[in-house]
Amino acid sequence: MSFSPELLKGQKALVTGGSSGIGEAIARALAAAGASVAVNYHSGDQEAQKIVEDIKAGGAEAIAIGADVSKEDEVKAMFGQMLKEFGTIDILVNNAGLQKDSAFTDMTLDHWNLVIGVNLTGQFLCAREAAKEFMRRGVQPHISAAAGKIICMSSVHEVIPWAGHVNYAASKGGINMMMRSIAQELAPQRIRVNSIAPGAIKTPINTSAWNTPEAEAKLLKLIPYGRIGVVEDIAKTAVWLASDDSDYVCGETMFVDGGMTLYPGFATGG
Ligand code: NAD
């Protein structure tokens, strides 16, 4: 991935769940595009430090901040540290997420609450803190046309029902209306809120879906474009949504899915 370091020059970004997979790629891409990046981690302390060192070696500013995004006090402390070290925030990438899969009748309340807590409540808590700072500071025209940008990591499962993953699909469906409602409320303040809905992207969250030839062949049947996605597909979209190149995009979900939401089962007439 190569970007002009002028694209996000002077902007301060926070990427939640930034120590692996899609979040890591986004953190690296935002830095390559000139942003200073805070890499939030929950369990991946050493991985986050390594990403920070790599980003610094490339000439950009970076810090790692540990926090569980589902805990209000930890989110507030994370934003406190971000503002102390970087002075402000211009870009929030609400990426942290997890799965706890089971048949519906076996799904425990703990697993329901955990997935909703991280994937949906976590995005609410982080978006609220970011929005407060965007509104306090307002637009700085030499930095960006917007007062701030929030990118919510959704999934094709905000629209495709997913048996065996009811908690996950419900969390992503919730992100759709949360994102659009925040976007509607904050657009007059020049704050842009959008989502990315990835299809199948090779990361640690879904290894078993692609790490054997049989699994890969089965998965490819769901992807009209004929390849499984890579983290760079999502990172490039995130950089675009964070930049002024997308300045008139507000309250949208970008499906980056190789056509997975085109209902490929109907390609031959259903
Ligand atoms: P991943 O497991 O590599 O990344 C998830 C990250 O979230 C990890 O770094 C993890 O430590 C972090 N995290 C988990 N709980 C946390 C918490 N309480 N607080 C802070 N961080 C926490 O998997 P990924 O595929 O990179 O997933 C990133 C996002 O992309 C998730 O929201 C996921 O739902 C979404 N997504 C992924 C795919 C895919 O195919 N990989 C498809 C659609 C959506």
Side-chain angles (χ1 to χ4, degrees):
M1 283 183 293
S2 68
F3 304 97
S4 162
E6 296 297 308
L7 193 62
L8 301 175
K9 192 177 167 190
Q11 302 205 39
K12 318 293 180 190
L14 170 64
V15 182
T16 68
S19 64
S20 66
I22 291 170
E24 172 180 353
I26 292 175
R28 291 180 185 277
L30 292 173
S36 302
V37 181
V39 179
N40 159 252
Y41 63 89
H42 184 225
S43 52
D45 181 0
Q46 290 184 350
E47 292 82 356
Q49 291 299 345
K50 166 84 173 73
I51 296 161
V52 164
E53 293 315 316
D54 288 351
I55 290 175
K56 285 181 173 170
E61 267 190 310
I63 53 172
I65 310 180
D68 177 340
V69 296
S70 69
K71 304 262 167 55
E72 186 174 28
D73 55 340
E74 294 190 30
V75 169
K76 287 192 166 175
M78 172 168 69
F79 276 81
Q81 192 178 340
M82 165 101 193
L83 299 191
K84 189 163 156 246
E85 301 210 26
F86 282 167
T88 191
I89 179 170
D90 303 282
I91 300 160
L92 167 67
V93 183
N94 254 337
N95 167 77
L98 46 72
Q99 290 180 215
K100 287 289 170 195
D101 310 327
S102 67
F104 178 58
T105 49
D106 295 335
M107 189 168 284
T108 64
L109 180 59
D110 279 351
H111 279 181
W112 170 269
N113 283 336
L114 177 63
V115 172
I116 298 294
V118 174
N119 295 12
L120 185 57
T121 309
Q123 293 212 9
F124 154 69
L125 291 170
C126 293
R128 191 183 58 178
E129 294 311 304
K132 283 187 211 164
E133 172 60 12
F134 297 159
M135 289 162 79
R136 183 201 65 77
R137 196 205 55 236
V139 178
Q140 295 177 293
H142 63 291
I143 298 286
S144 173
K149 284 85 55 161
I150 297 173
I151 299 167
C152 299
M153 199 55 62
S154 184
S155 161
V156 290
H157 296 295
E158 76 166 48
V159 292
I160 302 178
W162 204 13
H165 310 258
V166 169
N167 46 6
Y168 184 84
S171 73
K172 298 299 185 180
I175 287 170
N176 176 277
M177 284 310 287
M178 181 184 74
M179 178 280 290
R180 293 169 64 206
S181 300
I182 301 172
Q184 188 190 57
E185 188 166 334
L186 300 186
Q189 323 281 337
R190 281 293 180 99
I191 294 168
R192 295 195 297 113
V193 190
N194 293 288
S195 287
I196 301 174
I201 311 296
K202 288 187 179 181
T203 74
I205 211 171
N206 58 6
T207 312
S208 62
W210 48 264
N211 72 347
T212 64
E214 299 75 32
E216 186 168 11
K218 194 169 156 220
L219 183 55
L220 282 172
K221 286 198 178 121
L222 300 174
I223 308 172
Y225 200 61
R227 74 168 170 86
I228 299 172
V230 291
V231 291
E232 290 78 12
D233 292 315
I234 307 303
K236 288 176 196 165
T237 310
V239 168
W240 183 73
L241 279 176
S243 78
D244 284 354
D245 288 347
S246 61
D247 189 51
Y248 210 47
V249 181
C250 199
E252 283 302 321
T253 299
M254 311 287 306
F255 286 85
V256 183
D257 67 353
M260 192 177 246
T261 40
L262 296 174
Y263 297 94
F266 285 81
T268 52

